[in-house]
Amino acid sequence: MVPFLTSAQPAIQWQKCLGGTSGDEENAVLQTADAGYVVAGYAYSNNGDVNGNLGENDAWVVKLNSIGTIEWQTCLGGSESDVGNSIHQTADGGYVVAGKTQSDDEDVSGWHVGYNDLGNPNPDAWVVKLDGVGGIQWQRCLGGADRDEASSVQQTADGGYVVAGHTNSIDGDASGNHGGNDAWLIKLSGSGDIQWQKCLGGTEGDHLGAVLQTADGGYLVAGHTQSNDGDVSGLHGTTYDAWVVKVSGTGDVLWVKVLGGTGWDQAYSVQQTVDGGYVLAGYTQSNDGDVLGNHGSQDAWVVKLDVNGDIQWQRCLGGSAADRFYSIRQIAGGGFLAAGSAASHDGDVSGVHSALSPDVWVVELDNVGSIQWQKCLGGSNSENANSIQQTADGCVIAGHVVSYDGDVVGSYVGSGGDGWVVKLGPNEVGIDGNERVLFTLAPNPTRSVFTVQHSENPSPKEMLLLDATGRTIMSRPTAASTGNWILDLSGHESGLYFVRLRFTDGSSASKCVVKE
């Protein structure tokens, strides 16, 4: 593989293990208005960084300053199991957290009574509004007698909240279930009262992992489905497909897209893009249908959709082992940051710390899905990232860490691992000095036209032109294995550019200069 990155890997500025000697994990991170960070997840511990655990495991919210020092933490829940899956800073400077609860005491009231076959309490979806220092302002249990959970929450333009997850219930707050497990979308007022709710799906399993309010005032949700009836049509095979649904501001379904192939395909994260379309991230085990270029058993998968939900491009990223993305964000310049886990040691992945366990995997893509840089973070045990966000000076990642070596410092050695927050600095656009350049540009500099000459195998698949920030401003296929291509930059501003040839197993690039 040709070792090339249009952007150098960013360095770790700081990292923080959060938890105690039992199992703890962070599911969501965001940069706060004061340039610090807040994370949400769960804590089994009641020592170390964790204080006030009320039961088996609590939803756990931790506020960090700009260098990762804990400012405050709060355990939320009761005597049963409670989890925070998503957090959003609200307009009043507080926070809203969504997840699930099996409790009916301490911080939790309104749990919808229901038990499974073993006599254990079924969870409700749970939404908690906090003030700016973690004090509870209100909380709502949402669901019925069966299993319910919230995966994602966002404050809406009217000051209310939209919540996405899934429900097995046919009573209580849930109505319209199509059978079994339905995706569930709930609109709340600013005080947490249900304004409307919508069960989405068919007679098989349907789940939502992410929700966002769109520019038109409606909502887009993404997850996975195994149904092929009800609200779902076009399932590829019999396993889960990724699933995207656009609804109006009152919950009416506008369009539905089922994405994938005959293997297992799931979407965990979605964002609206600056062009009005959408980007989603998850994983795929397919290599047919909508999926092209799978490297092995399971690839991380990024799909770019237009405003109507039609595929513009898709990228399988990874190697021959199991790789996934759990979070994606569009960044300045039009590219994307994605994070998840990688167990591969080949293909697009390099730098995994262990032959036996996955690392956190962070990838920057340009605006057409080409890798700008990738970075593996972790140690000799298992790590994964659940959330990523661009910051003013890099990005921040949150997830789970079991290692106590490699990139990991300060782990509370215990049975279940820690929450992990990693701050990466800015990346620098450039050419890897160890790269083997497989083509020439002449004349260089030029006022308008370059000749790109590639005279040896392997055959390039695509030629790209990138500006000085690493943003792709042109791409075109290259059908011939060798030959000369004319690249006309007349009309472009003078300055530094990069020409990149993409091969099946890597890339090669060179700087070029357009002079006045």
Side-chain angles (χ1 to χ4, degrees):
M1 178 174 178
V2 180
F4 165 75
L5 295 172
T6 59
S7 300
Q9 287 186 352
I12 296 175
Q13 289 186 325
W14 55 260
Q15 60 85 49
K16 182 77 173 180
C17 292
L18 297 170
T21 53
S22 298
D24 314 296
E25 183 163 0
E26 302 301 350
N27 291 323
V29 63
L30 57 90
Q31 190 170 36
T32 50
D34 63 358
Y37 306 92
V38 67
V39 291
Y42 64 85
Y44 277 92
S45 299
N46 201 18
N47 56 10
D49 301 316
V50 187
N51 182 38
N53 191 315
L54 297 161
E56 180 182 351
N57 61 279
D58 272 6
W60 192 37
V61 178
V62 186
K63 176 65 172 65
L64 306 173
N65 68 12
S66 61
I67 57 172
T69 303
I70 294 176
E71 294 183 322
W72 54 260
Q73 63 87 46
T74 185
C75 291
L76 305 169
S79 57
E80 300 290 341
S81 176
D82 316 292
V83 175
N85 289 324
S86 178
I87 191 167
H88 186 89
Q89 189 166 29
T90 52
D92 62 0
Y95 306 94
V96 62
V97 182
K100 64 180 178 179
T101 181
Q102 292 173 274
S103 300
D104 196 25
D105 54 6
E106 300 291 351
D107 298 323
V108 187
S109 61
W111 173 71
H112 295 80
V113 179
Y115 297 88
N116 63 21
D117 292 340
L118 298 176
N120 298 317
N122 285 323
D124 270 3
W126 195 36
V127 180
V128 185
K129 175 65 174 69
L130 304 176
D131 63 23
V133 291
I136 295 177
Q137 295 179 308
W138 54 258
Q139 61 86 42
R140 294 290 183 273
C141 288
L142 304 169
D146 216 317
R147 300 185 312 276
D148 315 291
E149 182 170 358
S151 302
S152 180
V153 66
Q154 185 185 60
Q155 190 170 35
T156 51
D158 64 358
Y161 305 92
V162 63
V163 182
H166 60 86
T167 180
N168 277 77
S169 297
I170 56 173
D171 57 357
D173 301 317
S175 61
N177 192 307
H178 296 76
N181 194 85
D182 260 18
W184 200 24
L185 186 64
I186 311 154
K187 175 65 173 67
L188 303 177
S189 69
S191 57
D193 298 318
I194 295 177
Q195 296 179 310
W196 54 259
Q197 62 86 42
K198 185 81 172 182
C199 288
L200 301 167
T203 53
E204 300 296 332
D206 314 292
H207 303 258
L208 294 180
V211 62
L212 59 91
Q213 187 170 34
T214 52
D216 61 4
Y219 304 96
L220 191 91
V221 291
H224 54 276
T225 180
Q226 202 171 5
S227 298
N228 204 17
D229 54 7
D231 298 316
V232 187
S233 62
L235 188 74
H236 301 79
T238 59
T239 58
Y240 280 116
D241 271 3
W243 185 41
V244 183
V245 184
K246 178 68 170 68
V247 304
S248 70
T250 55
D252 297 321
V253 175
L254 301 179
W255 51 256
V256 176
K257 300 293 179 180
V258 178
L259 307 169
T262 53
W264 292 79
D265 315 293
Q266 295 191 20
Y268 294 105
S269 180
V270 68
Q271 289 279 291
Q272 189 163 30
T273 50
V274 292
D275 62 0
Y278 309 96
V279 65
L280 62 91
Y283 79 90
T284 180
Q285 291 179 320
S286 301
N287 202 21
D288 54 6
D290 299 316
V291 186
L292 177 66
N294 193 310
H295 294 76
S297 64
Q298 182 184 110
D299 268 12
W301 196 34
V302 176
V303 186
K304 176 65 175 67
L305 306 176
D306 66 17
V307 67
N308 299 311
D310 296 319
I311 295 176
Q312 294 180 302
W313 52 260
Q314 62 86 46
R315 294 287 184 270
C316 290
L317 303 165
S320 56
D323 313 299
R324 293 188 178 197
F325 286 149
Y326 293 106
S327 181
I328 192 165
R329 296 289 184 270
Q330 188 164 40
I331 58 176
F336 305 94
L337 279 172
S341 63
S344 296
H345 295 259
D346 52 9
D348 299 316
V349 186
S350 62
V352 174
H353 291 74
S354 170
L356 301 175
S357 302
D359 268 9
V360 165
W361 195 34
V362 186
V363 181
E364 183 181 326
L365 306 173
D366 65 16
N367 59 337
V368 293
S370 298
I371 293 177
Q372 303 298 284
W373 55 261
Q374 64 88 44
K375 191 175 184 74
C376 290
L377 302 166
S380 56
N381 289 315
S382 178
E383 281 77 50
N384 65 274
N386 295 319
S387 181
I388 189 169
Q389 185 188 34
Q390 187 180 32
T391 63
D393 60 348
C395 64
V396 62
I397 306 110
H400 185 64
V401 61
V402 182
S403 298
Y404 45 87
D405 53 7
D407 298 318
V408 185
V409 179
S411 173
Y412 293 91
V413 179
S415 59
D418 287 343
W420 199 31
V421 181
V422 184
K423 176 65 176 65
L424 299 181
N427 57 288
E428 297 180 359
V429 177
I431 302 295
D432 184 347
N434 297 319
E435 177 197 6
R436 180 188 173 201
V437 178
L438 298 180
F439 64 95
T440 59
L441 292 167
N444 191 9
T446 186
R447 286 190 169 86
S448 59
V449 175
F450 292 95
T451 298
V452 183
Q453 184 176 27
H454 171 67
S455 59
E456 59 181 283
N457 287 319
S459 170
K461 300 190 303 180
E462 185 180 22
M463 180 168 63
L464 301 97
L465 178 69
L466 300 94
D467 65 16
T469 70
R471 180 176 62 93
T472 299
I473 57 177
M474 183 276 291
S475 65
R476 73 186 197 203
T478 52
S481 60
T482 61
N484 296 339
W485 300 282
I486 300 300
L487 184 60
D488 188 354
L489 298 191
S490 56
H492 287 75
E493 295 181 357
S494 60
L496 175 67
Y497 295 85
F498 299 101
V499 175
R500 178 182 188 184
L501 295 185
R502 292 184 63 238
F503 301 86
T504 301
D505 61 349
S507 304
S508 180
S510 184
K511 296 178 183 178
C512 59
V513 176
V514 176
K515 58 186 179 180
E516 295 181 356

